[in-house]
Amino acid sequence: MTIEIIGTGKAVPPNRVSNDDLARRIDTSDEWIRSHTGIGARRLADEATATSDLALEAAREALAMAAGWKEGPGREDAVREAAGTLDLIVLATASPDYYGCPSTACVVQDRLEARRAAAMDLTAGCTGFVYGLESAAGLLSVNKGRKRALVIGAETLSKLINWNDRGTCVLLGDGAGAVVLEKTEAASEGPGRRGLLRTILGADGAGVENLIIRRGGSRNPFKAGETVEIPPHLEMNGQAVYNFAVKAFTDTCTRLLEEEGIGVDHVALIVPHQANARIVQAAGKRLGIGEEKFFLNIQDYANTSSASIPIALDELNRAGRLRKGDLIMTIAFGGGLTYGGNLIVW
Ligand code: UT7
């Protein structure tokens, strides 16, 4: 028995905002953003678009692929049929449609008409998708009756940004990525093995203050009659997160390889969380791994938090860059602070 990815999908809003566009609104420049982060542009959701809208679009793409739909008519039927086979929806997000209740996963479950599926959100910052894969795989494994899960990373963090804080607003973008997981009879060990092999999950709660949305929760609720100058927004200690990220990245990669008993040569591609190209370069240097081993699309989408890895997986998959049997590593880090990585045989 193993847990395989049988479909991938992504959705990004059509509105592309370049670094130059931002430089017309705040005190920044294309040169600073590119040289400090590798970001060239980001996609931003309009007022009417919530996280579940992007999640739904990515989910439909992934379900259509899982159903074997290619092109032409019949997509809606394929999606509906595949949605009906889901036992579980796990949606990782730091920018849910509603705070606390209901989950964004339930909104998606309803719109997909995935009647049999349990649905829940998962909060693990930018590591949400890595946590989500392991959580869904675990829930499929412990129950004979569960066979299929949808794991989504979806964000509209642009709605939780202080657009006057140039230290954070240039970094983030909106988007969603999704995968369909299936429990299959393929081998999980030995030659010909497939699926999710191994996952590392970790957290360092001492770093809660380093990436935080202070207002709106039970610690700092809004009070009757209160007016706010800036809506709830993400605050970040960039240096602290940078240092944490490089160490978490290096340690996670080393541990995954050691625990699996393999060298990095066995890994076809490392798909990191797209937070900052400099973090990937610094970690790669420490690990002695060449840049060609890492997939980066941060230049197009900026940091889409929990959506960045599934968006990257979908781009790679649709471009034919993930071949059956390839060993793929994911690595992520983010708010919490959290970190983790997966080893997946495609
Ligand atoms: O998904 C996880 C979430 N976050 C991250 O992974 C982010 C981790 N941190 C980082 O990637 C980096 O710390 C940043 C990209 C956020 C910042 O890079 P940095 O090299 O650490 O810059 P800094 O904060 O030390 O700032 C250097 C200078 C400052 O000016 P002074 O004080 O030296 O005059 C900043 O005010 O750069 C200035 N600066 C900017 N200048 C132009 C900061 N943001 C900008 C900006 N445009 N957008």
Side-chain angles (χ1 to χ4, degrees):
M1 190 271 286
T2 193
I3 309 290
E4 297 188 56
I5 294 176
I6 60 164
T8 61
K10 82 165 205 292
V12 291
N15 180 28
R16 180 182 180 277
V17 176
S18 70
N19 295 339
D20 284 329
D21 293 332
L22 283 186
R24 280 189 274 278
R25 297 195 331 226
I26 56 166
D27 182 15
T28 189
S29 65
D30 179 58
E31 194 281 317
W32 191 96
I33 300 172
R34 272 184 203 277
S35 61
H36 284 72
T37 69
I39 294 167
R42 72 284 295 140
R43 302 298 189 93
L44 299 183
D46 62 17
E47 225 168 279
T49 303
T51 294
S52 64
D53 298 315
L54 298 177
L56 185 70
E57 214 179 307
R60 286 190 171 131
E61 292 275 311
L63 287 165
M65 188 188 284
W69 180 86
K70 295 257 176 344
E71 260 171 54
R75 182 177 183 267
E76 282 314 301
D77 290 341
V79 169
R80 194 173 309 112
E81 210 170 293
T85 68
L86 292 173
D87 301 293
L88 176 69
I89 299 173
V90 177
L91 190 150
T93 187
S95 44
D97 281 21
Y98 308 101
Y99 272 103
C101 189
S103 70
T104 306
C106 278
V107 178
V108 172
Q109 187 250 15
D110 177 50
R111 290 172 70 187
L112 281 175
E113 300 178 35
R115 306 261 180 256
R116 291 180 42 216
M120 65 176 182
D121 283 4
L122 191 155
T123 308
C126 304
T127 320
F129 182 76
V130 169
Y131 269 64
L133 272 189
E134 181 75 343
S135 304
L139 286 166
L140 292 181
S141 301
V142 295
N143 188 314
K144 256 200 199 148
R146 294 192 201 112
K147 194 167 160 57
R148 278 189 174 187
L150 177 67
V151 181
I152 309 171
E155 307 283 3
T156 49
L157 274 167
S158 66
K159 294 169 192 254
L160 294 167
I161 286 173
N162 176 359
W163 283 99
N164 294 317
D165 174 11
R166 66 178 183 174
T168 55
C169 76
V170 303
L171 304 176
L172 298 158
D174 299 330
V179 300
V180 178
L181 295 183
E182 184 171 70
K183 187 164 64 183
T184 73
E185 292 312 315
S188 59
E189 286 173 18
R193 65 190 179 166
R194 304 284 304 276
L196 185 61
L197 287 190
R198 182 178 296 279
T199 295
I200 286 173
L201 301 177
D204 179 6
V208 288
E209 294 277 333
N210 292 328
L211 260 174
I212 188 165
I213 300 166
R214 289 184 198 280
R215 295 307 311 272
S218 62
R219 179 66 62 198
N220 287 303
F222 292 109
K223 299 180 185 74
E226 181 184 3
T227 53
V228 288
E229 304 238 323
I230 314 169
H233 59 274
L234 185 71
E235 292 170 45
M236 183 179 71
N237 178 343
Q239 276 295 331
V241 176
Y242 185 96
N243 294 335
F244 169 82
V246 175
K247 184 168 183 329
F249 194 119
T250 317
D251 291 352
T252 301
C253 180
T254 307
R255 269 183 63 196
L256 278 172
L257 294 174
E258 272 175 16
E259 288 180 14
E260 194 57 30
I262 55 172
V264 75
D265 294 350
H266 291 85
V267 178
L269 204 56
I270 300 176
V271 182
H273 167 47
Q274 313 279 315
N276 184 335
R278 275 170 54 212
I279 292 173
V280 177
Q281 284 151 5
K285 212 168 166 192
R286 282 194 195 181
L287 290 159
I289 301 175
E291 284 188 25
E292 67 289 346
K293 201 61 130 186
F294 299 99
F295 177 72
L296 282 175
N297 62 3
I298 189 171
Q299 61 279 5
D300 298 324
Y301 304 120
N303 177 352
T304 57
S305 189
S306 65
S308 83
I309 289 176
I311 287 175
L313 287 177
D314 184 57
E315 284 202 346
L316 287 162
N317 195 21
R318 284 173 198 270
R321 289 185 58 188
L322 303 175
R323 288 177 307 261
K324 258 201 166 100
D326 275 358
L327 184 57
I328 311 297
M329 183 189 285
T330 69
I331 304 181
F333 46 84
L337 299 170
T338 56
Y339 60 92
N342 317 106
L343 273 180
I344 304 161
V345 181
W346 204 255

